[in-house]
Amino acid sequence: MPALPDAATPTHCPYCALQCAMTLTPAPDAVPAVPTVEGRAFPTNRGGLCKKGWTSPALLGSPDRITAPLIRGADGTFREAGWDEALDLVADRLRETRRLHGADAVGVFGGGGLTNEKAYLLGKFARLALGTSRIDYNGRFCMSSAAAAGTRAFGIDRGLPFPVDHLDAAETVLLLGTNVAETMPPFIGHLTGAQAAGGLIVVDPRRTATVRLTENGQGMHVQPTPGSDLVLLLGLIHIVIAERLWDEAYVAERTAGFPELRRSVSVWWPERVASETGVPVPQLREIARRLATGRGTYILTGRGVEQHVDGTDTATAAINLSLLLGLPGSQHSGYGTLTGQGNGQGGREHGQKADQLPGYRKIADPGARRHVAAVWGIDPAIIPGPGLPAAQLLQSLGQPDGIRAFLVHGSNVVVSAPNAAQVAAGLAALDFLVVCDFFLSETAAIADVVLPVTQWAEEEGTITSLEGRVLRRRRAVSAPPGVRDELWVLHELAERLDAPSTFDVDPEAVFEELRLASEGGIADYSGIDYAMLEAGEAAYWPFPRGSAGTPRLFADRFGHPDGLARIVAVAPTPPAEPLNVDGGLTLITGRLLEHYQSGAQTRRVPELAAAQPHARLQLHPATAARLGIDHDALVEVVNGRGTVRCRARLSVDIRPDTVFLPFHFPADESANVLTLDAVDPISGMPEFKKSAVHVSPVIEAVDARPALEVVV
Ligand SMILES: Nc1nc2c(c(=O)[nH]1)N[C@H]1C(S)=C(S)[C@@H](COP(=O)(O)OP(=O)(O)OC[C@H]3O[C@@H](n4cnc5c(=O)[nH]c(N)nc54)[C@H](O)[C@@H]3O)O[C@H]1N2
Ligand SMILES: Nc1nc2c(c(=O)[nH]1)N[C@H]1C(S)=C(S)[C@@H](COP(=O)(O)OP(=O)(O)OC[C@H]3O[C@@H](n4cnc5c(=O)[nH]c(N)nc54)[C@H](O)[C@@H]3O)O[C@H]1N2
Ligand code: SF4
Ligand SMILES: [Mo]
């Protein structure tokens, strides 16, 4: 281990993909002794941090940390164990499962929060140490639809194919299904140009904090029915073509597939689109014209439009619109998707996806297998084929021919996976569950073995941010005794399982191997090394050896062999279940500023937990009145999959046919007991953003109501 710095350490935030730059300074006299944090000048955050970033060091000294491996005993309770005992047990049980049920009975679940080094080594560990094809990760629930659409259209999936600060000069920015003011607060600093030009357009069924940035002439709010974005986009494309607003020269020179698109949108005339989406015709026309005429136009998508069973096609429609307008690759305009998790970009490039090898290579491609096998020093034949995408992988837990032993690294699936009660039942039916985490998350709490690992500020590694820029995470503090680095854990297990390759424990050595494995692939990191990152050089991939990297993609050509972008005609599909029938409502799920994902981390930060202690159901006062629900009343949100009990928050900021729950909370307040595990057939993305529910008041004793209500 390198010696710890005694002065300030420049690093990046542990949470989202904006990867705000921060400085950690030791504060040995603080109780607990956690470093202080300051925002640091950097193009994405310009010194700003959100509440989560400001409070992130608290978790380093959290009393909830697990500081020794935990093994569940015969009595069902955990006991602390030594590392050798725990690792021997894990290796024995995994070997036994493989012997009895075959290698594919062992499954691995990774995360987009893992560093590039961990994600790379986890993919290699699954394929070589376990010999299993059954690995996938939580990014399937996050970026898969946008990734599939980007790959199909451009041949390359880099969330933002341009640096974030290029947005500053835009006059028009269309935000589809993203609430950046809460999910990436410093990002809104890049929208001020569009606001000043009156061109910030936000499409969201709710009037969110992001929508409020459009008020007072700074742009417009478009409030469609949940899940109708694809129709909305087809309608915009129809208008762009009918009014000859498209860039004919660009479409002819840089794209293929336009004639089919033109035919397919002819049926989406404005009045029909208005009646299906609830967006008035004049607004549709105004948006189309604004997008076509503004100087500097960007179209950006978020999870609100992507987390649907037709999410890939919706993202594709957004891309089609941007291609018609000549945005991708232009100097002042563009299209992109806002990657979510800290390493959501790098996490989808280095081989923890079911169908993927490092460098964004396809596992079924013989050339890719040969290249990676040569780096790993093995016969390509021993690399398994494609596995199952996350939702199907989770559905197979505990099934007769499914997964019998499961390893989870960096996800809290009990809270964050769709149809979560089913997932919890699958986990309970396993022969053996191992969870690597810093805390006893809801998933770790039901494991057979929990392996405690170091946190972000206690380890070295790299992260690739939402703009495709590779960044150094640095070690600023020492980890509590008893906690181990995840690379070391994988190394130790690989040794015990007689893996046919090496598993380095030094992150820089792992990165050096990743560079070779990625060389010549789509996400080529071969020209990047720790020294240049240390010096603060801006490393945007693809970064082939000897090149200077690629801050802005697609200037001259797209990633397909012929250099052209593909326009793919798409059509809406019906929702996975009927919505708004028999007095029912549509539930959409998403995020609050204070909490991160399953809340495993942020619910343990006292300041954040105090600000948002519980899930609350956002519903319109008119709907509440119809159902007999008061503000702060206890309600039940029910469907055939589960029940949530929480308090109501009445708000005119949501459509009357729609209710909203954050998914950050467990147990009775867990939104995911209500969501569906139906998936997009192309990407495997579950239908997180619309489920059919019924809402009803729960009759309570008067003294059970919140104090304020009783007084009033
Ligand atoms: N505070 C906080 N920040 C985060 C995270 C977090 O958990 N908490 N997570 C990070 C991660 S991993 C991600 S992926 C990003 C996600 O970032 P966002 O995509 O901004 O987050 P969401 O809240 O999931 O969804 C955004 C919006 O989509 C809207 N929406 C729902 N259904 C529809 C629909 O059918 N159509 C349209 N147009 N909009 C719809 C919701 O009302 C919501 O306001 O945030 C990252 N940042
Ligand atoms: N209903 C609904 N559900 C959703 C979504 C939604 O919008 N609505 N969004 C989806 C999206 S976009 C996402 S990204 C997922 C995220 O949901 P999860 O995959 O559950 O993500 P986290 O809550 O960040 O879980 C990470 C866990 O790993 C631990 N951890 C963090 N870093 C590391 C590490 O380096 N190593 C190890 N071993 N552990 C680590 C944390 O303590 C935590 O317990 O949720 C999805 N679920
Ligand atoms: S916006 Fe994201 S990266 Fe920045 S401080 Fe907040 S959570 Fe961290
Ligand atoms: Mo995400």
Side-chain angles (χ1 to χ4, degrees):
M1 282 251 170
L4 278 175
D6 44 23
T9 305
T11 189
H12 294 268
C13 176
Y15 299 117
C16 86
L18 195 58
Q19 281 301 293
C20 295
M22 52 169 56
T23 304
L24 296 177
T25 307
D29 299 331
V31 181
V34 297
T36 57
V37 64
E38 275 175 300
R40 186 160 60 85
F42 194 68
T44 61
N45 64 313
R46 299 192 179 123
L49 299 174
C50 79
K51 261 185 181 179
K52 298 186 299 301
W54 283 119
T55 54
S56 56
L59 289 180
L60 298 165
S62 171
D64 279 1
R65 284 197 70 170
I66 314 167
T67 51
L70 303 177
I71 296 179
R72 192 177 298 283
D75 64 353
T77 63
F78 281 128
R79 68 175 168 82
E80 292 194 348
W83 274 96
D84 275 332
E85 183 192 359
L87 293 168
D88 287 345
L89 173 69
V90 171
D92 285 348
R93 295 294 302 269
L94 296 180
R95 211 181 292 106
E96 180 71 357
T97 303
R98 190 164 61 184
R99 191 179 62 78
L100 291 175
H101 305 285
D104 275 353
V106 181
V108 179
F109 204 86
L114 303 179
T115 59
N116 289 319
E117 292 76 4
K118 293 184 190 185
Y120 168 81
L121 215 62
L122 190 66
K124 181 177 178 182
F125 177 82
R127 272 61 174 249
L128 298 190
L130 300 172
T132 183
S133 72
R134 298 299 198 253
I135 173 168
D136 211 51
Y137 78 126
N138 68 4
R140 185 72 64 179
F141 299 156
C142 182
M143 296 312 300
S144 61
S145 287
T151 299
R152 182 162 72 171
F154 305 126
I156 293 182
D157 153 39
R158 199 183 91 191
L160 295 183
F162 49 82
V164 167
D165 58 358
H166 286 200
L167 289 167
D168 298 2
E171 290 194 339
T172 306
V173 177
L174 173 63
L175 296 177
L176 290 154
T178 172
N179 183 14
V180 276
E182 292 204 64
T183 54
M184 295 185 179
F187 182 92
I188 66 173
H190 302 285
L191 301 174
T192 51
Q195 285 176 281
L200 180 63
I201 307 170
V202 181
V203 183
D204 199 307
R206 302 185 303 140
R207 197 164 68 94
T208 60
T210 309
V211 170
R212 282 195 277 279
L213 301 175
T214 67
E215 290 171 357
N216 305 319
Q218 300 182 92
M220 71 174 107
H221 179 204
V222 185
Q223 199 169 14
T225 327
S228 67
D229 304 86
L230 179 44
V231 171
L232 176 77
L233 288 160
L234 294 173
L236 293 175
I237 293 171
H238 178 104
I239 295 169
V240 164
I241 294 175
E243 297 192 8
R244 302 200 71 81
L245 297 169
W246 50 296
D247 184 337
E248 290 187 44
Y250 177 99
V251 169
E253 283 162 26
R254 306 219 45 195
T255 72
F258 175 64
E260 179 56 28
L261 176 73
R262 179 180 214 155
R263 270 193 298 279
S264 71
V265 297
S266 62
V267 296
W268 294 105
W269 58 89
E271 292 71 18
R272 178 178 179 200
V273 170
S275 84
E276 292 202 17
T277 61
V279 180
V281 172
Q283 197 181 27
L284 292 170
R285 291 197 189 281
E286 194 186 341
I287 302 168
R289 288 171 194 161
R290 172 93 210 187
L291 290 172
T293 54
R295 274 194 310 120
T297 298
Y298 285 84
I299 297 179
L300 302 175
T301 63
R303 302 308 84 71
V305 296
E306 297 162 10
Q307 290 175 324
H308 296 275
V309 287
D310 58 3
T312 305
D313 285 347
T314 305
T316 297
I319 293 173
N320 289 344
L321 177 61
S322 72
L323 288 169
L324 279 191
L325 299 172
L327 312 182
S330 110
Q331 267 309 304
H332 310 289
S333 299
Y335 162 84
T337 176
L338 296 167
T339 294
Q341 297 183 85
N343 198 28
Q345 180 70 54
R348 65 190 198 257
E349 300 165 357
H350 305 303
Q352 51 174 340
K353 269 171 120 166
D355 57 350
Q356 191 194 60
L357 287 173
Y360 225 124
R361 289 182 157 90
K362 284 278 174 205
I363 203 164
D365 168 10
R369 296 169 66 85
R370 272 195 305 278
H371 174 87
V372 175
V375 175
W376 289 350
I378 52 142
D379 177 352
I382 68 167
I383 302 177
L388 294 175
Q392 289 96 313
L393 181 64
L394 294 176
Q395 283 158 5
S396 81
L397 297 178
Q399 297 297 315
D401 292 326
I403 301 297
R404 309 292 329 163
F406 200 47
L407 282 82
V408 180
H409 293 256
S411 183
N412 185 12
V413 287
V414 167
V415 177
S416 59
N419 199 359
Q422 213 42 53
V423 171
L427 290 167
L430 291 170
D431 298 337
F432 195 56
L433 174 63
V434 184
V435 176
C436 246
D437 210 306
F438 343 114
F439 298 114
L440 209 55
S441 71
E442 286 69 20
T443 309
I446 57 169
D448 296 292
V449 177
V450 184
L451 301 174
V453 287
T454 46
Q455 288 192 52
W456 104 109
E458 299 159 351
E459 60 191 26
E460 297 279 332
T462 62
I463 291 282
T464 306
S465 75
L466 81 172
E467 47 176 20
R469 178 173 173 174
V470 185
L471 305 167
R472 269 300 292 282
R473 282 262 186 89
R474 291 181 185 81
R475 185 165 168 259
V477 296
S478 49
V483 162
R484 294 287 183 276
D485 187 295
E486 205 152 0
L487 298 178
W488 180 86
V489 172
L490 293 173
H491 167 88
E492 290 291 314
L493 286 174
E495 295 257 289
R496 285 168 170 78
L497 292 163
D498 302 319
S501 184
T502 51
F503 287 77
D504 259 298
V505 292
D506 171 35
E508 187 169 3
V510 176
F511 190 83
E512 288 298 310
E513 188 182 313
L514 178 162
R515 286 176 67 184
L516 296 176
S518 76
E519 190 159 17
I522 291 172
D524 187 333
Y525 281 42
S526 59
I528 305 173
D529 63 36
Y530 268 35
M532 63 186 270
L533 298 178
E534 186 71 39
E537 214 172 305
Y540 293 87
W541 74 257
F543 205 129
R545 200 180 294 278
S547 79
T550 321
R552 218 177 156 104
L553 279 162
F554 311 144
D556 307 312
R557 61 190 322 279
F558 294 98
H560 292 298
D562 60 7
L564 301 179
R566 298 289 180 276
I567 291 178
V568 182
V570 291
T573 44
E577 63 185 1
L579 299 166
N580 300 88
V581 290
D582 301 330
L585 297 163
T586 302
L587 169 72
I588 59 182
T589 60
R591 294 160 165 84
L592 303 173
L593 170 62
E594 291 82 357
H595 284 298
Y596 191 65
Q597 320 277 53
S598 71
Q601 290 164 276
T602 48
R603 282 185 276 115
R604 291 182 164 86
V605 177
E607 206 176 318
L608 302 177
Q612 295 286 358
H614 292 285
R616 297 179 78 196
L617 180 79
Q618 185 182 14
L619 95 163
H620 195 277
T623 313
R626 172 168 72 77
L627 299 171
I629 294 167
D630 296 331
H631 189 61
D632 268 336
L634 190 64
V635 293
E636 258 182 12
V637 191
V638 184
N639 64 20
R641 293 174 291 275
T643 302
V644 164
R645 265 182 173 232
C646 65
R647 297 207 172 266
R649 187 166 72 80
L650 271 46
S651 154
V652 292
D653 293 341
I654 190 161
R655 297 170 51 100
D657 57 3
T658 305
V659 290
F660 173 85
L661 273 177
F663 75 101
H664 310 298
F665 300 90
D668 273 6
E669 299 186 346
S670 171
N672 275 321
V673 301
L674 300 166
T675 55
L676 286 78
D677 51 10
V679 298
D680 178 307
I682 303 168
S683 64
M685 170 68 83
E687 181 64 275
F688 282 123
K689 288 290 192 269
K690 50 183 191 298
S691 343
V693 294
H694 280 83
V695 179
S696 57
V698 175
I699 310 301
E700 294 179 90
V702 171
D703 56 3
R705 306 291 299 274
L708 189 66
E709 289 284 311
V710 176
V711 174
V712 172

